[in-house]
Amino acid sequence: MPDTTGPDREAVRLILEKVRAEGRTSLTAPEGRAVCTAYGIPTPEEGLAGSPEEAVRLAERIGLPVVLKIVSPDILHKTEAGGVLVGLTTAEQVADGYRTIVSNALRYNENAQVLGVQVQRMLEEGQEVIIGAATDPTFGKIVAFGLGGVLVEVLKDVTFRLAPTTTAEARSMVEGIAAAEVLRGVRGAEPVDAEALALLIHRVAELVTDFPQLAEIDLNPVLATPAGATAVDVRVVVDDRAAVEPVRLSQEEILASMNRIMRPTAIAVIGASSEPGKIGNSVMRNLVDGGYRGDIHPINPKATEILDRKAFASIADVPGEVDVAVFAIPAKLVPRALEEAGAKGVAGAILIPSGFGETGDHELQDEVVSIARKHNVRVLGPNIYGYYYTPERLSATFCTPYDVQGGVALSSQSGGIGMAILGFSRSSGMGVSAIVGVGNKADIDEDDLLTFFEADHNTQLVAMHLEDLKDGRSFAETAKRVSRTKPVVVLKAGRTAQGAKAASSHTGALAGDDKVYDDILRQSGVIRAPGLNDMLEYARGLPLLPTPRGENVVIITGAGGSGVLLSDACVDNGLRLMAIPSDLDEAFRAFIPPFGAAGNPVDITGGEPPSTYRDTIALALRDERVHALVLGYWHTIVTPPMVFAELVTEVVEEYRAKGVHKPVVASLAGDVEVERASDHLYRNGIVAHPYTTEKPVAVLGAKYRWARAAGLVPG
Amino acid sequence: MPDTTGPDREAVRLILEKVRAEGRTSLTAPEGRAVCTAYGIPTPEEGLAGSPEEAVRLAERIGLPVVLKIVSPDILHKTEAGGVLVGLTTAEQVADGYRTIVSNALRYNENAQVLGVQVQRMLEEGQEVIIGAATDPTFGKIVAFGLGGVLVEVLKDVTFRLAPTTTAEARSMVEGIAAAEVLRGVRGAEPVDAEALALLIHRVAELVTDFPQLAEIDLNPVLATPAGATAVDVRVVVDDRAAVEPVRLSQEEILASMNRIMRPTAIAVIGASSEPGKIGNSVMRNLVDGGYRGDIHPINPKATEILDRKAFASIADVPGEVDVAVFAIPAKLVPRALEEAGAKGVAGAILIPSGFGETGDHELQDEVVSIARKHNVRVLGPNIYGYYYTPERLSATFCTPYDVQGGVALSSQSGGIGMAILGFSRSSGMGVSAIVGVGNKADIDEDDLLTFFEADHNTQLVAMHLEDLKDGRSFAETAKRVSRTKPVVVLKAGRTAQGAKAASSHTGALAGDDKVYDDILRQSGVIRAPGLNDMLEYARGLPLLPTPRGENVVIITGAGGSGVLLSDACVDNGLRLMAIPSDLDEAFRAFIPPFGAAGNPVDITGGEPPSTYRDTIALALRDERVHALVLGYWHTIVTPPMVFAELVTEVVEEYRAKGVHKPVVASLAGDVEVERASDHLYRNGIVAHPYTTEKPVAVLGAKYRWARAAGLVPG
């Protein structure tokens, strides 16, 4: 019976004290069961027997058939040790069984301390599921849910959330596995009690949150029936290291520093140089050439003037406040210079040099961080190209300046990826608010950037390349908040490289897996990009598309063949093709040839004049039941590419002027003129690509994923 | 006991005769069991009881516990009807059980004819699997294999092959499902007898091949144990329509016509016109402007000369042989003109006009096909843009000419996709042998094209966009042969649109599913492209890459961040990152900075001069244990993009000159100059893309998929 009076924390505390006192790292089965009971997690009726006779007495009291399980702190994998017997139906079997499993256990581990044999009621049949909790290196306490046995172990059909969970989140786990249909009942089976499962997940999450030293918990199997759920076997691993929490700054502290770093009034370049080719020269040049209007102070003891700016021997000599110090000096010189910059009161130290953690010199990096902490300086890097903030015309980098202002903020953990961001932006004319290299992330990380970009009116979307998260929990919480108003796109690299893990529970073995990232990022409303180019295309396209007001997507195409591929792409991207109501269908038919197909896709056929495209697109924009448009263009002499591009731009603008804002994307099939036509459309807010049906739909799909997670798309 | 004397076909024939005589469409359970026995498929000991008493006698003879199942030709889904009871352990339970399921069955269907109750030995526990056969609308007889219950029904973890199968193919099915690990034994379980399962699949395939009127077979469940496999329940559906086979031409017949069509010495343009804007004018113009050197005969009763060519009133008036007639006249005029062209002895009728099957006029299309058959004319289309064959400088189309010769042959079912092929080819400078529109495929289909391209020395790769296959079996067989020497890339559109199906077996319900296409195309060595752009990029890239001689892929990168993303892409594309032997690792280390990472990716770090790229690439080309290279470039001042492009070209060419041919692909991260650098690399046979780590690796992955299927990559 689930108990609703709240958990008995005192009971758990006492058990954990005893475990600690005995120097153990895991709970015995009876202890595990007691912990469950304290948190209202049902377990089967049972008892601990110290002899074959006691086992028989217990079995007769509980009711046959029973299950016998070895109880030993030294044996975690009971089945492997031959320490489990099921379906014992007579007293004789129980007595024999006791003797068998004790001797099996001792054969398995002759030094095992055997505390007795657990006699457990054998439950009626049900659906086996696994519920667990673990301590993830990135996200801290997480809970896991999956179907039992093969499905979790072989097919990895398992889902994760941060602990604690709301009951809605716990419920979403029960519904979120691939095989969820099994729980809803297949082949006429009754559905299991999903609420009971959600409650169990919720309570396990509460338990590990209350007692963070619980490093791993497996309820495996949990037997789910239409009437409830019972944890048949419980495994609990204790580890004090699992209770350590990362230090976090407050939002106010982060913003105070980040505002000074991103919108500085004065910058010092430590290691500024007049010599072309030097990093200290490139940084100076880019600050000047980029058009930064604040003060630029070159710091170089050997110079008096650099690029027409007075040079200082030390940052200490600079008159007035300095917000940012850009370091363009070798790694080993950084600590001393950082002491000076800290004393001067800079808000941010931009550490371009490499030669820290990434080359194995963690000590030097730690030293730098501790100097920065002492002076309340935030460190960006080390090992970075620098950063751009276009509203301030700030290009604090040794790469080339970038000045196309716009709403997209990007960051990268890798310099190479930063350069790809820069090249793609320039090539596509993408409007950017910021590009930031975070490198080794000795201090400033994605979490700090998100906090700044959230408040930054110049930023509409944040796109981040990352290989790891220093504090995944904090990132997830921040991203959840930010993504309610601004899309957060993440390219998580290294998703297929799975670190080796030593864990003694199923759930523990799954921590650190990419699926954990995937589930938690999605729960945080983050749009995960499958690859670099996708991240860039999402970043470029999403801010142009209005937020859809509903799920009804309509494809209008001049090429039936494109229509089929666009439909495929819609399904692949989780978009719902509108079931066209008959009045709308008739209205479409009025514009298209009799052999054209209405329905969805609306196939206007290939030989049609511009007016057919225009009329059908206008109709879809006008009809309030339609929420998004996917256009398929087929190059013909009757409607050449630029004519199509111009008519689409016109009709979309006409309706925008009337207050109709719907996302429109287009796929252009045709000879090379479709490239210019696509560019024209893109410049006018219509996400358009030539020679691909996949890309424009993927961008629309990403917009929908964001809008749904942000709660902006009605049912 | 599997019997090795071969199937008892006579026994099956007699059973099927009886079923036919009784007008039934399915076999009873005992009949199904007898069919299995005839083909050496083990079934449990059992008997048919006509009364509770007889059931008890049978049960006692077979041995308790037993299973009871209703036997009725009117009840296919026994469980649903309450017609199955398991685990009956006493005579009393058997007698009661008999009465229960008969009354359940009659409640389920009061008109059901109950033939009795099957009493079956209850088998020891084992792994439930499903083995089945069905008649697919595209591929004909197929066999299916999957794990029982939930895994097939909910997760669709099932795999298909054409029947008959070789034993190797059957074995590949057992290993080919996602949950195959279960069969190999998980959690210390013994592996099941995979050979026995493969044998069962093989025999089911043989059975439906011998008796094509067997429309659907389900062996569900089959119980697999370490000692063998037994079909516990058998369901067989009979339908004479399932035995109909499509008519096929011989290879010689196909080639004779296709050679004349693709390499004609004289072409007539029916409906040729002098008036710009008319299709008959565009076709004439493209033939002339494209540089076709054969005879071009305009046919137009109202003209005497068109584009300086003498015009004829009818094709009958043309002197000499005509190989191809291109039709640029309205649909309704086609039959008469085709009669004349047929009488003239043309090999091919290119039907550009629409207004046939695609607009609902199937009668007109059928009429045209039958006229063509009568005259032994092959029909391309109708409803197409025409076709290109660059070795003959032939542009028989109303689109624009294309003359960049090369090894890629492409076809499309849709005109829009054809235009996208043309535009992409022109934009990327792709060398093309042919572009062919197949449109409605009234006659000539992909199978005919494959047969021609196989023999065509100008073609090295075939890429096809298709929405359906007229005769999937024939295509699969042809593709299997062709793909041994030339990659066959297929973009199958409509893969997510699943037609509604009425089938009475699990396997039957799965026929027509996209997974059937997927499995059978893969088995045929076809490289399936996930989207339009992928098809185009595979087509462009694959012919440039030498065939890899082994599975060892090495990533060499200047950007650690690209290295991680490239590794992800390798895993995504089924590529194996070489475990670098220690001597090779040391050799790499000699070239890269101490903090660079050898291993794989080889991270040469970002600040390195051209020589580091050159030395490490040369080393990887030189070392025979390395089979393919993935390069990651990071734009720096030290090694600018074009310097990288030129050095890579040089070193790759140097080794090609020495006879070292390894595929090399590159991802370029940097400012816009990397676009020109990528082009330079591509023109020199190195598949290179800017701003994406995914695309170059996907092309290499496609090359590997092809080479493996063609048996060209050693283990």
Side-chain angles (χ1 to χ4, degrees):
Chain A
M1 289 303 102
D3 117 48
T4 48
T5 57
D8 180 356
R9 294 193 174 84
E10 184 58 16
V12 177
R13 203 185 55 73
L14 290 173
I15 290 168
L16 294 181
E17 248 173 31
K18 178 163 180 282
V19 171
R20 182 196 300 265
E22 293 175 9
R24 282 188 281 134
T25 58
S26 63
L27 271 59
T28 62
E31 286 170 346
R33 191 188 162 219
V35 166
C36 284
T37 305
Y39 271 71
I41 297 165
T43 56
E45 268 182 88
E46 59 154 30
L48 180 66
S51 68
E53 298 70 35
E54 203 179 343
V56 170
R57 274 198 303 279
L58 270 169
E60 282 168 346
R61 200 193 70 208
I62 288 168
L64 290 159
V66 295
V67 179
L68 300 186
K69 293 178 190 173
I70 195 76
V71 179
S72 164
D74 305 310
I75 296 176
L76 268 176
H77 296 282
K78 300 185 195 75
T79 308
E80 230 178 83
V84 178
L85 284 175
V86 301
L88 307 180
T89 51
T90 66
E92 202 185 342
Q93 283 176 357
V94 171
D96 283 356
Y98 184 99
R99 283 182 280 266
T100 305
I101 67 174
V102 169
S103 78
N104 283 353
L106 291 172
R107 204 163 35 241
Y108 180 76
N109 176 356
E110 57 180 322
N111 300 316
Q113 182 198 358
V114 173
L115 302 178
V117 168
Q118 196 178 7
V119 182
Q120 202 173 62
R121 189 170 158 206
M122 188 156 160
L123 291 173
E124 57 174 319
E125 288 206 359
Q127 179 62 50
E128 286 194 8
V129 306
I130 168 169
I131 292 173
T135 309
D136 183 86
T138 302
F139 294 101
K141 297 299 174 200
I142 56 171
V143 281
F145 173 76
L147 290 200
V150 170
L151 282 150
V152 164
E153 285 175 47
V154 176
L155 297 179
K156 315 289 181 209
D157 182 20
V158 58
T159 186
F160 302 91
R161 297 292 183 277
L162 291 176
T165 65
T166 63
T167 39
E169 280 165 350
R171 183 66 201 245
S172 79
M173 294 179 77
V174 178
E175 285 155 5
I177 55 171
E181 204 183 321
V182 173
L183 302 172
R184 295 192 291 267
V186 278
R187 293 211 227 179
E190 244 186 291
V192 305
D193 185 344
E195 288 304 335
L197 286 175
L199 194 62
L200 250 62
I201 295 168
H202 179 66
R203 284 179 173 164
V204 168
E206 194 177 8
L207 172 61
V208 292
T209 306
D210 291 346
F211 296 95
Q213 68 270 48
L214 299 179
E216 300 171 29
I217 295 181
D218 264 356
L219 309 185
N220 183 24
V222 170
L223 219 55
T225 67
T230 308
V232 177
D233 207 353
V234 180
R235 185 178 301 165
V236 181
V237 178
V238 183
D239 185 345
D240 281 339
R241 287 166 304 179
V244 178
E245 286 224 26
V247 184
R248 285 170 194 152
L249 296 176
S250 73
Q251 298 286 309
E252 293 68 31
E253 287 169 305
I254 293 171
L255 272 180
S257 303
M258 289 306 299
N259 275 323
R260 280 184 68 201
I261 294 170
M262 300 304 281
R263 301 189 190 93
T265 52
I267 295 180
V269 179
I270 297 173
S273 167
S274 297
E275 199 181 316
K278 293 257 181 195
I279 284 181
N281 179 259
S282 301
V283 172
M284 279 298 296
R285 214 171 255 295
N286 291 333
L287 283 170
V288 173
D289 295 352
Y292 173 61
R293 281 156 303 196
D295 294 329
I296 305 170
H297 304 296
I299 311 297
N300 186 331
K302 292 176 195 148
T304 53
E305 214 182 76
I306 293 171
L307 296 185
D308 300 331
R309 258 83 178 173
K310 179 176 163 43
F312 299 91
S314 159
I315 193 170
D317 306 332
V318 175
E321 273 209 346
V322 175
D323 299 295
V324 167
V326 182
F327 287 68
I329 52 176
K332 63 181 188 304
L333 304 181
V334 167
R336 217 190 106 195
L338 183 58
E339 281 283 5
E340 292 175 8
K344 179 71 184 170
V346 304
I350 313 306
L351 298 193
I352 289 178
S354 54
F356 294 88
E358 86 287 1
T359 60
D361 203 341
H362 298 282
E363 273 172 41
L364 184 60
Q365 186 163 316
D366 292 346
E367 185 189 350
V368 162
V369 171
S370 79
I371 294 169
R373 288 257 157 83
K374 189 175 66 186
H375 293 289
N376 199 26
V377 175
R378 299 300 308 268
V379 170
L380 184 65
N383 186 29
I384 55 170
Y385 48 90
Y387 71 113
Y388 301 79
Y389 186 63
T390 65
E392 299 291 328
R393 306 184 65 177
L394 177 61
S395 297
T397 170
F398 61 85
C399 304
T400 42
Y402 192 73
D403 60 5
V404 183
Q405 292 187 27
V408 181
L410 302 112
S411 73
S412 77
Q413 194 162 348
S414 137
I417 304 308
M419 283 303 290
I421 289 173
L422 187 67
F424 176 89
S425 300
R426 205 187 303 280
S427 179
S428 67
M430 178 160 74
V432 159
S433 62
I435 303 175
V436 183
V438 294
N440 297 4
K441 299 198 276 200
D443 176 23
I444 292 178
D445 64 5
E446 290 80 4
D447 200 7
D448 299 298
L449 295 181
L450 267 186
T451 302
F452 171 77
F453 292 133
E454 179 185 21
D456 178 30
H457 295 303
N458 299 303
T459 296
Q460 297 165 35
L461 173 146
V462 186
M464 299 180 144
H465 158 265
L466 52 92
E467 293 176 356
D468 53 28
L469 287 168
K470 275 159 55 192
D471 181 350
R473 172 169 295 260
S474 172
F475 178 84
E477 285 164 4
T478 310
K480 188 162 196 162
R481 197 183 64 234
V482 176
S483 66
R484 270 184 219 123
T485 54
K486 301 178 184 185
V488 178
V489 179
V490 166
L491 170 61
K492 165 72 175 71
R495 70 203 141 78
T496 45
Q498 194 176 321
K501 275 156 319 212
S504 48
S505 71
H506 285 309
T507 314
L510 295 164
D513 192 281
D514 185 67
K515 186 70 165 65
V516 178
Y517 261 96
D518 208 56
D519 282 351
I520 293 177
L521 290 183
R522 191 175 39 252
Q523 277 288 306
S524 307
V526 163
I527 307 161
R528 191 164 177 188
L532 173 57
N533 198 256
D534 308 87
M535 177 185 82
L536 295 168
E537 292 291 2
Y538 294 175
R540 181 185 174 208
L542 260 62
L544 301 184
L545 297 178
T547 301
R549 302 267 170 83
E551 294 282 358
N552 285 336
V553 177
V554 170
I555 299 173
I556 296 176
T557 183
S562 295
V564 180
L565 289 170
L566 290 168
S567 301
D568 283 352
C570 282
V571 175
D572 287 348
N573 285 284
L575 297 175
R576 202 170 70 200
L577 288 184
M578 181 185 191
I580 310 266
S582 60
D583 64 309
L584 183 56
D585 195 70
E586 252 176 69
F588 275 122
R589 276 182 202 282
F591 296 123
I592 64 182
F595 55 89
N600 196 0
V602 180
D603 181 0
I604 69 168
T605 77
E608 291 297 293
S611 60
T612 310
Y613 278 108
R614 184 194 307 270
D615 292 339
T616 48
I617 294 169
L619 175 58
L621 289 172
R622 201 160 52 230
D623 193 294
E624 288 187 356
R625 296 165 294 183
V626 178
H627 303 119
L629 262 79
V630 177
L631 306 180
Y633 165 72
W634 181 9
H635 186 161
T636 61
I637 297 176
V638 187
T639 307
M642 277 309 292
V643 170
F644 170 78
E646 278 159 11
L647 83 85
V648 172
T649 302
E650 270 169 38
V651 70
V652 169
E653 269 170 13
E654 182 191 326
Y655 278 88
R656 279 187 194 152
K658 292 180 187 167
V660 175
H661 296 275
K662 297 181 183 180
V664 181
V665 303
S667 159
L668 283 75
D671 213 331
V672 289
E673 295 96 303
V674 295
E675 295 177 23
R676 195 161 73 89
S678 298
D679 284 348
H680 180 86
L681 286 165
Y682 223 116
R683 274 196 309 277
N684 286 284
I686 292 136
V687 170
H689 289 277
Y691 320 134
T692 165
T693 45
E694 305 82 42
K695 224 178 237 191
V697 177
V699 174
L700 181 62
K703 185 86 191 191
Y704 262 101
R705 277 195 273 158
W706 167 69
R708 285 189 205 115
L712 299 172
V713 188
Chain B
M1 291 302 103
D3 117 47
T4 49
T5 58
D8 180 355
R9 295 192 172 85
E10 184 58 17
V12 178
R13 203 186 54 73
L14 288 173
I15 291 168
L16 294 181
E17 248 174 32
K18 178 162 182 280
V19 171
R20 182 196 300 264
E22 293 174 9
R24 281 187 281 134
T25 58
S26 63
L27 270 59
T28 61
E31 286 169 345
R33 190 188 165 223
V35 166
C36 284
T37 305
Y39 271 69
I41 297 165
T43 56
E45 268 184 86
E46 60 155 30
L48 180 65
S51 67
E53 298 71 34
E54 203 178 343
V56 170
R57 273 198 304 278
L58 270 168
E60 281 168 347
R61 199 195 68 208
I62 288 168
L64 289 159
V66 294
V67 180
L68 299 186
K69 294 179 191 173
I70 194 77
V71 178
S72 163
D74 305 310
I75 296 176
L76 270 176
H77 295 282
K78 300 184 195 75
T79 308
E80 231 179 82
V84 179
L85 283 175
V86 301
L88 308 180
T89 50
T90 66
E92 200 185 342
Q93 283 176 357
V94 172
D96 284 355
Y98 183 101
R99 285 183 279 264
T100 305
I101 67 174
V102 169
S103 79
N104 282 352
L106 291 172
R107 202 161 39 241
Y108 180 76
N109 176 355
E110 58 179 321
N111 299 317
Q113 182 199 357
V114 173
L115 302 178
V117 167
Q118 197 178 6
V119 181
Q120 201 173 65
R121 190 170 157 206
M122 189 159 161
L123 291 174
E124 55 173 320
E125 289 205 358
Q127 180 61 50
E128 286 193 8
V129 305
I130 168 169
I131 292 172
T135 309
D136 183 86
T138 302
F139 294 101
K141 297 299 174 200
I142 56 171
V143 281
F145 173 76
L147 291 200
V150 169
L151 282 150
V152 165
E153 286 174 47
V154 176
L155 297 180
K156 314 290 181 209
D157 182 18
V158 58
T159 186
F160 302 91
R161 297 290 183 280
L162 292 176
T165 64
T166 63
T167 39
E169 280 165 351
R171 183 65 202 247
S172 79
M173 294 179 76
V174 178
E175 285 154 6
I177 56 170
E181 202 183 323
V182 173
L183 302 173
R184 294 193 291 267
V186 279
R187 291 213 227 179
E190 245 185 291
V192 306
D193 186 345
E195 288 304 333
L197 287 174
L199 194 62
L200 250 64
I201 295 168
H202 179 65
R203 284 179 172 163
V204 168
E206 194 177 6
L207 173 60
V208 293
T209 307
D210 291 345
F211 298 94
Q213 67 270 47
L214 298 180
E216 299 171 29
I217 295 181
D218 263 357
L219 309 185
N220 182 24
V222 170
L223 219 55
T225 68
T230 307
V232 177
D233 208 353
V234 180
R235 186 177 300 165
V236 181
V237 178
V238 182
D239 185 346
D240 281 340
R241 287 166 301 178
V244 177
E245 286 224 24
V247 184
R248 284 170 195 154
L249 296 177
S250 73
Q251 298 284 310
E252 293 68 31
E253 288 171 305
I254 294 171
L255 273 180
S257 304
M258 290 306 298
N259 275 322
R260 281 183 67 200
I261 294 170
M262 300 303 281
R263 300 189 191 94
T265 52
I267 295 180
V269 179
I270 297 173
S273 167
S274 298
E275 198 179 319
K278 292 258 181 192
I279 284 181
N281 179 260
S282 300
V283 171
M284 280 298 296
R285 216 174 255 295
N286 290 334
L287 284 170
V288 172
D289 295 352
Y292 172 62
R293 282 155 304 195
D295 294 329
I296 305 171
H297 304 295
I299 311 296
N300 186 332
K302 292 177 195 148
T304 51
E305 214 182 74
I306 293 171
L307 295 188
D308 299 333
R309 256 84 178 171
K310 178 175 163 48
F312 298 92
S314 160
I315 194 171
D317 305 334
V318 176
E321 273 208 347
V322 176
D323 300 296
V324 167
V326 182
F327 288 68
I329 52 177
K332 63 181 188 304
L333 304 180
V334 167
R336 217 190 106 195
L338 183 58
E339 282 281 7
E340 291 175 6
K344 180 71 184 170
V346 303
I350 313 306
L351 298 193
I352 288 178
S354 54
F356 294 88
E358 86 288 357
T359 60
D361 203 340
H362 297 283
E363 275 172 42
L364 185 59
Q365 186 162 316
D366 292 346
E367 185 189 349
V368 162
V369 171
S370 78
I371 294 168
R373 289 257 156 82
K374 191 174 65 185
H375 293 289
N376 199 27
V377 175
R378 299 300 309 268
V379 170
L380 185 65
N383 186 30
I384 55 170
Y385 48 91
Y387 71 114
Y388 299 79
Y389 186 63
T390 63
E392 299 291 328
R393 307 184 63 176
L394 177 61
S395 296
T397 170
F398 61 85
C399 305
T400 41
Y402 192 73
D403 60 6
V404 183
Q405 293 186 25
V408 181
L410 302 110
S411 74
S412 77
Q413 194 162 347
S414 138
I417 303 308
M419 283 303 289
I421 289 172
L422 188 67
F424 176 89
S425 300
R426 206 187 302 281
S427 180
S428 67
M430 178 159 74
V432 159
S433 62
I435 303 174
V436 183
V438 295
N440 296 6
K441 298 198 277 200
D443 176 22
I444 292 177
D445 64 6
E446 290 81 2
D447 199 7
D448 299 298
L449 295 181
L450 267 187
T451 303
F452 171 77
F453 292 133
E454 180 185 21
D456 178 31
H457 296 301
N458 300 303
T459 297
Q460 296 166 38
L461 173 146
V462 186
M464 300 180 142
H465 158 264
L466 51 92
E467 293 176 356
D468 54 28
L469 287 169
K470 275 159 53 193
D471 182 350
R473 173 170 292 260
S474 173
F475 178 84
E477 284 164 4
T478 310
K480 188 162 196 163
R481 199 184 62 234
V482 176
S483 65
R484 270 186 219 122
T485 54
K486 301 178 184 186
V488 178
V489 178
V490 166
L491 171 61
K492 165 71 174 72
R495 71 203 140 78
T496 45
Q498 194 176 319
K501 274 154 319 211
S504 48
S505 71
H506 285 309
T507 314
L510 295 164
D513 192 280
D514 185 66
K515 186 71 166 67
V516 178
Y517 261 97
D518 209 54
D519 283 350
I520 293 177
L521 290 183
R522 191 173 40 250
Q523 277 289 304
S524 308
V526 163
I527 306 161
R528 189 163 179 189
L532 173 57
N533 198 257
D534 308 88
M535 178 185 81
L536 295 168
E537 292 292 1
Y538 294 176
R540 181 185 175 210
L542 260 61
L544 301 185
L545 297 179
T547 302
R549 303 267 169 84
E551 295 281 359
N552 285 336
V553 177
V554 170
I555 300 173
I556 296 176
T557 183
S562 295
V564 180
L565 290 169
L566 291 168
S567 300
D568 284 351
C570 282
V571 175
D572 287 348
N573 285 284
L575 297 175
R576 202 170 70 199
L577 288 184
M578 182 185 191
I580 310 265
S582 60
D583 64 308
L584 182 56
D585 195 71
E586 252 175 69
F588 276 122
R589 277 182 201 282
F591 295 124
I592 64 181
F595 54 90
N600 196 359
V602 179
D603 181 0
I604 69 169
T605 78
E608 291 298 293
S611 60
T612 310
Y613 278 108
R614 185 193 306 270
D615 291 339
T616 48
I617 295 169
L619 175 58
L621 289 172
R622 201 160 53 230
D623 193 294
E624 288 187 354
R625 295 165 295 183
V626 177
H627 303 119
L629 262 81
V630 177
L631 307 180
Y633 166 73
W634 180 10
H635 186 162
T636 61
I637 298 177
V638 189
T639 307
M642 278 308 293
V643 171
F644 170 77
E646 279 160 11
L647 83 84
V648 172
T649 301
E650 270 169 36
V651 69
V652 168
E653 269 169 13
E654 182 191 326
Y655 278 87
R656 280 188 194 152
K658 292 179 187 168
V660 175
H661 296 275
K662 297 181 183 180
V664 181
V665 304
S667 160
L668 283 75
D671 213 329
V672 289
E673 295 97 303
V674 295
E675 296 177 23
R676 195 162 74 88
S678 298
D679 285 347
H680 181 85
L681 285 166
Y682 223 115
R683 274 197 308 278
N684 286 283
I686 293 137
V687 170
H689 289 277
Y691 319 133
T692 165
T693 46
E694 305 81 44
K695 224 180 238 191
V697 178
V699 173
L700 181 62
K703 185 84 191 191
Y704 263 101
R705 277 195 273 159
W706 166 70
R708 285 188 205 116
L712 300 172
V713 188

